[in-house]
Amino acid sequence: LVKIGQTAKLFWTVKNSEIIAFAKLSGDVNPLHISRKYAKKHNFKNVLVHGYLLGAKISSIIGTKLPGKGCLMIYQSINFHKPIYPKNRLLISTKVYGINRSLKIMNLKINVKRNKMLIATGEIACKIPY
């Protein structure tokens, strides 16, 4: 059983191909995500990673590591503190801070870091099968 304080993490190096695939899949072809020239014109170093592409990576932790099989995400919030660019190597960490076993709901905090710098934070609630 999952316990309060339990953690899981995932390292992810963002690939350009993932950004392009996500743009096609989601339909979010905002030039900030697909045109380096446009992004630079708007004071960014490169194209920006879609926020929900990061959300999808967070979902992979929830569905495979903590709590894993049978978990159903019912709430997710992400606060972006710094932009995420292609080739960034991120450490995505989750930590259980609440469990309601009678309602079968678990709450987690999310931290995303690049070179020890906090890039994004968030919270997740998910339905657990036990």
Side-chain angles (χ1 to χ4, degrees), residues 50-112:
H50 296 78
Y52 277 101
L53 178 51
L54 173 62
K57 288 297 178 179
I58 293 169
S59 178
S60 75
I61 295 175
I62 303 307
T64 64
K65 293 185 177 192
L66 181 64
K69 188 176 178 180
C71 170
L72 179 63
M73 192 181 309
I74 56 176
Y75 172 82
Q76 179 182 42
S77 73
I78 306 173
N79 298 305
F80 299 94
H81 308 292
K82 303 278 184 192
I84 301 171
Y85 299 109
K87 299 182 182 174
N88 280 177
R89 181 164 167 77
L90 305 176
L91 170 59
I92 305 168
S93 304
T94 62
K95 184 174 185 177
V96 178
Y97 75 89
I99 301 171
N100 184 321
R101 297 218 188 269
S102 62
L103 295 177
K104 296 184 177 182
I105 293 178
M106 181 179 72
N107 301 94
L108 300 104
K109 295 271 186 198
I110 307 295
N111 284 313
V112 181

